[in-house]
Amino acid sequence: MAESLPARVSRIVQATPVHDIHTHLYDPAQGEMLLWGIDELLVYHYLVSEASRQMEMPLEKFWSASKQEQAEHVWKTLFIEHSPVSEACRGILTTLHLLGIEPRKNDLKSLRNWYASQNPQDFINRVMDKANLASICMTNSPFDPMERPTWDRGFDRDPRFVAALRIDPLLVAWPETSVWLREQGYDVSRELSDQTLGEVRRFLADWTARIDSRYCMVSLPPSFTWPADTEIARLIEGAVLPHCREQGQAFALMMGVKRAVNPRLRMAGDGVGLADLNALQALCAAHPENRFLVTCLARENQHELVVLARKFSNLHPFGCWWFTNTPQLIREITTMRLELLGTSFTPQHSDARVLDQVLYKWHHSRSIIADALSEKYVAAAEAGWEVTDTEIQRDVSELLGGGFQRFLSGARQ
Ligand code: FIX
Ligand code: ZN
């Protein structure tokens, strides 16, 4: 019997290597910065915020415990005392399952023993193969005191791990960052004079070259507006956008994060707010020669983002970020994007912080992307347009990173 259209699409989506365009993973040569293993999986901030709702223990006590103890509390709270039905919990189950481990038949001790017996390099290869990843794009911050020394020392790059320059402190904390930049040898002042903006551009160019950055990125709060007489708007106008033009780099804006809504939760304490996409519209209109990669955290921003992308070919929507990385919202957002943009967007990135997470993030997303795409091909077939496998392959390669790379290179979407 001939293979059905959904089966063909699913086969091709599974078999196509993906470029994971935004993660918090690091080159293996950066040592302990690349996290993996069951304890890291369990203390992922997505799980910590869920566990915090049901844990007996006060947060301060949880944070003062060792990483292993924290992992034990999360495991007990979310997997033993309750059923693991949330997306983050399901992620742990899928990850273990794909590694050939039956989670139900193992306790935390045996899971730790299994991980302890893995050779790190083999494990990285196995995870990348199993998730079928062509490349992993890192989030590289010169402002991170742990990360910077790894670049200062230098290391042999793993070509599968590509760099992207993260610049949040530069834009959202200029008073402190201007002091730090001076210490780093850049002749900046607190006032954003031409001289200072020139030095900021020199800093951006230095780090772009140093890490071989593919794009430069920032996450922004809902209060971000543009144009505006604010430090952040002036830095974007006078330093970031000229830098991107000079270096041929796209600028990624991750919009709508409210940092530290509950600081007691530390990294798990960030929230979401509605971003003002008038700012994005103004940026895209005023700077047709710049390219903007954009993801929004609020579900309520998704439709406006897609409509804006129809108006501006220098805008490329990507990913279902963080709180939108749930099956229901991935399905909704991906379908909406296909219906309004065709294939000129990038449906997903993993945002993995722990290497093993790429297994579940891509397993879950690939199946939804395949379903959403099949539905559109079936509709086309009903109207007499039957896609060939070659065409499906072209479209899937486009969606799983090919289109993103073309956008980065400055070619048309
Ligand atoms: O700003 C970001 O890149 C976010 O993805 C992170 O800050 C966040 O903690 C995260 O891991 C979300 O998935
Ligand atoms: Zn991220």
Side-chain angles (χ1 to χ4, degrees), residues 22 24 44-46 166 219 254 259 321-322 351 353:
H22 171 69
H24 298 268
Y44 185 35
H45 66 77
Y46 288 28
R166 183 74 180 233
S219 71
M254 307 178 70
R259 297 288 177 193
W321 182 25
W322 201 344
D351 234 311
R353 283 184 177 270

Side-chain angles (χ1 to χ4, degrees), residues 75 101-108 110-111:
W75 176 258
I101 305 166
E102 280 316 317
R104 215 40 276 212
K105 297 199 183 120
N106 283 275
D107 55 16
L108 202 42
S110 59
L111 292 172

Side-chain angles (χ1 to χ4, degrees), residues 91-109:
I92 301 260
L93 305 180
T94 304
T95 301
L96 295 175
H97 187 70
L98 290 172
L99 288 169
I101 305 166
E102 280 316 317
R104 215 40 276 212
K105 297 199 183 120
N106 283 275
D107 55 16
L108 202 42
K109 190 160 166 272

Side-chain angles (χ1 to χ4, degrees), residues 29 57 61 87 115 118 137 179 211 215 278 295 335 338 346:
M57 154 185 318
K61 197 159 168 225
E87 176 62 6
Y115 270 101
Q118 303 303 306
C137 190
V179 175
I211 67 175
Y215 62 90
N278 290 315
T295 196
T335 300
L338 284 170
T346 300

Side-chain angles (χ1 to χ4, degrees), residues 182-410:
R182 265 201 303 281
E183 287 162 10
Q184 300 293 311
Y186 294 92
D187 189 10
V188 298
S189 58
R190 175 76 174 69
E191 293 68 46
L192 292 168
S193 60
D194 286 351
Q195 150 79 19
T196 292
L197 291 169
E199 282 294 273
V200 172
R201 289 202 294 277
R202 185 165 72 84
F203 165 77
L204 293 170
D206 287 350
W207 276 91
T208 299
R210 185 169 210 184
I211 67 175
D212 189 20
S213 173
R214 301 295 158 97
Y215 62 90
C216 122
M217 77 183 116
V218 68
S219 71
L220 294 167
S223 58
F224 171 69
T225 52
W226 196 93
D229 188 18
T230 57
E231 276 168 348
I232 176 164
R234 281 157 59 211
L235 280 157
I236 289 178
E237 180 73 48
V240 179
L241 296 180
H243 157 77
C244 289
R245 290 192 294 270
E246 280 156 26
Q247 305 275 323
Q249 297 257 308
F251 183 32
L253 298 103
M254 307 178 70
M255 305 183 75
V257 58
K258 276 193 199 161
R259 297 288 177 193
V261 166
N262 181 358
R264 289 178 63 221
L265 272 174
R266 300 192 183 175
M267 195 188 260
D270 297 339
V272 57
L274 193 66
D276 177 6
L277 295 198
N278 290 315
L280 180 61
Q281 177 185 323
L283 277 168
C284 292
H287 292 288
E289 65 292 14
N290 277 96
R291 278 165 282 129
F292 301 94
L293 299 158
V294 177
T295 196
C296 289
L297 198 47
R299 181 190 192 181
E300 297 78 0
N301 274 136
Q302 303 302 329
H303 186 247
E304 193 177 354
L305 174 62
V306 173
V307 174
L308 265 186
R310 289 172 66 87
K311 310 297 145 194
F312 294 102
S313 64
N314 59 337
L315 168 59
H316 186 95
F318 75 94
C320 295
W321 182 25
W322 201 344
F323 310 117
T324 61
N325 196 352
T326 60
Q328 183 201 10
L329 294 183
I330 301 169
R331 200 169 295 120
E332 171 180 303
I333 295 167
T334 305
T335 300
M336 187 196 321
R337 288 171 174 173
L338 284 170
E339 289 176 354
L340 284 165
L341 297 174
T343 57
S344 64
F345 68 98
T346 300
Q348 196 52 302
H349 64 269
S350 78
D351 234 311
R353 283 184 177 270
V354 182
L355 178 72
D356 330 17
Q357 291 167 342
V358 295
L359 290 168
Y360 95 77
K361 301 235 188 193
W362 284 108
H363 188 75
H364 295 181
S365 289
R366 276 185 203 263
S367 102
I368 302 170
I369 293 166
D371 287 352
L373 198 53
S374 292
E375 198 184 293
K376 298 302 152 206
Y377 290 145
V378 167
E382 280 166 7
W385 187 280
E386 302 212 359
V387 284
T388 64
D389 275 16
T390 311
E391 288 164 340
I392 298 173
Q393 181 63 71
R394 175 200 59 199
D395 298 346
V396 171
S397 300
E398 195 71 6
L399 291 168
L400 296 186
F404 188 86
Q405 291 191 325
R406 231 195 13 268
F407 186 78
L408 288 191
S409 75

